[in-house]
Amino acid sequence: MSQDQDFTPPKRPLTLRDVSEASGVSEMTVSRVLRNRGDVSETTRNKVLEAARELGYVPNKIAGALASSRVNLVAVIIPSLSNMVFPEVMTGISDILDETELQPVVGVTHYKPEREEKVLYQMLSWRPSGVIIAGLEHTEASKAMLAAAGIPVVEIMDTDGDAIDAKVGISHRRAGRQMAQAIVEAGYKRIGFLGTKMPLDHRARKRFEGFTETLAKAGLEIADQEFYSGGSALVKGREMTQTILERNADDPLDFLYYSNDMIASGGLLYCLDNGIDVPGDIGLAGFNGIEFIDGLPKKLATMKAMRSEIGRAAAQIIAKRVADSSAPRGEEIVLEPELKIGETLRRKKKSL
């Protein structure tokens, strides 16, 4: 949500009375249902839970009747800790919050919307002072909880879409377009894409959309695709690269675009081990600009996704809003990704 869009935070935190009125049952019964105590009919239980879900109501675990109480914690909800991307985001967040009384507490969703909903519910029940959450796509229940929380909410990593409150990140569609333009200008024609299955990886999907749109304007299209899920990304990168190159042996691909640097690194190592000239016979590019790729035999073409900067900016918004409740809401910070040509993408431009 940009600053010119309306964001109206709740005038007060939601209470048992709100759920009682919405469900048409007494506050005592609502309390029993939400605490899973006492005898309550299944029909009544479902009615209360549905009302609470639609309202975005989360019970207060720390204060009983003191519904407005807050703790000096910032809920940080991210998809993964094993992914090298998010530790850098966390470092940026910690760098800023270390200068305040606020402390980050991390919840991990494993890219599963239903798990994100559960993690968010539990973390909001402790009444944090703010929420930093990855992505702009959430379940309706998660959106309702975030909108009703009455605290600063910053959605990070992505700016292609509307936010509940503030957002900080890069445009992944623009990043995909920029990489495609560099590949087109280098003269590559038969391009393969390798990545994760994208229904739940919204940022990878948006990069792919921007990438293919720019190729289409140049009269090109993706010649082949290979996807994976789970396992070591480095090993998968090798395996996927072998598979896609062997499948196209009769009409060879001349460029491989990977959805992240780790599988791209596996692809580069496979090519070098098998005597494939990179970037002469085939060009390669990844995404994220992780530190790991600096140790590869060749510098991988990639795009720095400004991870630490995103974490710092998000934490600054939270700290500012906690310190000053009258500070503006709905902030939008769009950072520019940095294209790094490296040594796996031809620098010389060729006419199409």
Side-chain angles (χ1 to χ4, degrees), residues 114-273:
E114 65 279 5
R115 179 171 172 81
E116 178 184 87
E117 191 177 306
K118 292 179 181 178
V119 169
L120 180 60
Y121 182 89
Q122 291 298 325
M123 297 187 90
L124 287 178
S125 73
W126 292 101
R127 293 302 187 264
S129 294
V131 175
I132 298 173
I133 186 168
L136 296 169
E137 287 78 18
H138 316 284
T139 66
E140 290 303 315
S142 291
K143 290 179 183 178
M145 285 188 282
L146 290 167
I151 55 177
V153 174
V154 184
E155 291 163 282
I156 60 170
M157 311 307 290
D158 190 6
T159 60
D160 294 317
D162 292 336
I164 291 164
D165 180 359
K167 62 181 175 181
V168 177
I170 66 170
S171 166
H172 286 266
R173 289 195 177 92
R174 185 183 305 164
R177 290 195 292 267
Q178 289 174 343
M179 182 60 78
Q181 189 62 38
I183 293 168
V184 169
E185 290 177 353
Y188 294 103
K189 302 285 187 180
R190 279 188 48 80
I191 300 161
F193 175 80
L194 303 91
T196 58
K197 295 180 179 179
M198 291 179 287
L200 297 180
D201 191 343
H202 299 287
R203 293 177 289 284
R205 171 181 55 78
K206 291 171 185 178
R207 288 197 301 277
F208 184 72
E209 289 170 355
F211 187 78
T212 54
E213 287 168 5
T214 298
L215 291 186
K217 291 179 181 177
L220 301 174
E221 60 183 23
I222 296 293
D224 198 2
Q225 303 177 50
E226 186 69 21
F227 298 101
Y228 84 102
S229 60
S232 166
L234 202 60
V235 173
K236 289 293 184 181
R238 283 178 171 272
E239 294 173 351
M240 294 162 66
T241 301
Q242 179 178 3
T243 298
I244 199 170
L245 292 182
E246 290 179 351
R247 193 164 61 225
N248 290 274
D250 293 338
D251 190 5
L253 302 171
D254 64 4
F255 200 91
L256 298 178
Y257 178 45
Y258 299 79
S259 65
N260 64 63
D261 286 340
M262 286 302 293
I263 54 174
S265 297
L268 173 61
L269 294 174
Y270 172 82
C271 290
L272 295 180
D273 286 348

Side-chain angles (χ1 to χ4, degrees), residues 34-54:
L34 297 179
R35 291 185 297 119
N36 199 25
R37 303 278 179 85
D39 294 329
V40 181
S41 72
E42 195 64 24
T43 299
T44 299
R45 181 179 301 278
N46 290 338
K47 188 184 299 184
V48 169
L49 293 176
E50 182 61 25
R53 181 183 174 90
E54 290 182 359

Side-chain angles (χ1 to χ4, degrees), residues 88-102:
E88 287 192 41
V89 176
M90 289 303 307
T91 297
I93 292 171
S94 295
D95 285 346
I96 299 301
L97 296 187
D98 281 349
E99 303 300 319
T100 74
E101 294 183 353
L102 300 169

Side-chain angles (χ1 to χ4, degrees), residues 13-57:
L14 293 170
T15 66
L16 287 177
R17 178 175 295 179
D18 296 304
V19 181
S20 171
E21 292 175 354
S23 61
V25 303
S26 70
E27 290 183 44
M28 183 176 293
T29 301
V30 170
S31 178
R32 287 174 179 167
V33 170
L34 297 179
R35 291 185 297 119
N36 199 25
R37 303 278 179 85
D39 294 329
V40 181
S41 72
E42 195 64 24
T43 299
T44 299
R45 181 179 301 278
N46 290 338
K47 188 184 299 184
V48 169
L49 293 176
E50 182 61 25
R53 181 183 174 90
E54 290 182 359
L55 288 173
Y57 175 78

Side-chain angles (χ1 to χ4, degrees), residues 10 24 55 58 103 145-146 152 158 180 234 245 289 301-302 312 325-326 335 346:
L55 288 173
V58 179
Q103 292 292 326
M145 285 188 282
L146 290 167
D158 190 6
L234 202 60
L245 292 182
T302 187
R312 292 176 64 87
S325 60
S326 66
L335 300 171
R346 289 195 296 253

